[in-house]
Amino acid sequence: MVSQRITWEMCPRCGRPAAVGWLPAVGIGGDPIGEDPVEFDCVAGCQLSSSGIAAVFGTHRGTPLWCRGASAGGEVAAE
């Protein structure tokens, strides 16, 4: 799975930095309702299952600015 946005978060296992990849979550009409974490990569090599990623980082987080047509600072768009 390829993320559209990546943030740096704290790993819930070791406390070191971890990249979390996000994809937009869309509602019934196709409108963005937030985003879901879909990838996890800890610098120390810790692993989380798909359900573990969702449990730790949540699902349908608030709609980021990039989903609303503006660019957000502090985030990296995946290509």
Side-chain angles (χ1 to χ4, degrees), residues 1 3-7 9 19-25 34-40 48-61:
M1 185 168 302
S3 304
Q4 286 192 1
R5 187 175 75 91
I6 298 169
T7 60
E9 310 288 344
V20 177
W22 301 85
L23 281 176
E35 57 186 352
D36 292 328
V38 294
E39 295 181 285
F40 177 83
L48 287 178
S49 66
S50 296
S51 60
I53 296 170
V56 172
F57 300 105
T59 58
H60 308 321
R61 268 193 184 176

Side-chain angles (χ1 to χ4, degrees), residues 55-78:
V56 172
F57 300 105
T59 58
H60 308 321
R61 268 193 184 176
T63 305
L65 292 176
W66 68 269
C67 278
R68 291 180 254 159
S71 61
E75 299 164 353
V76 178

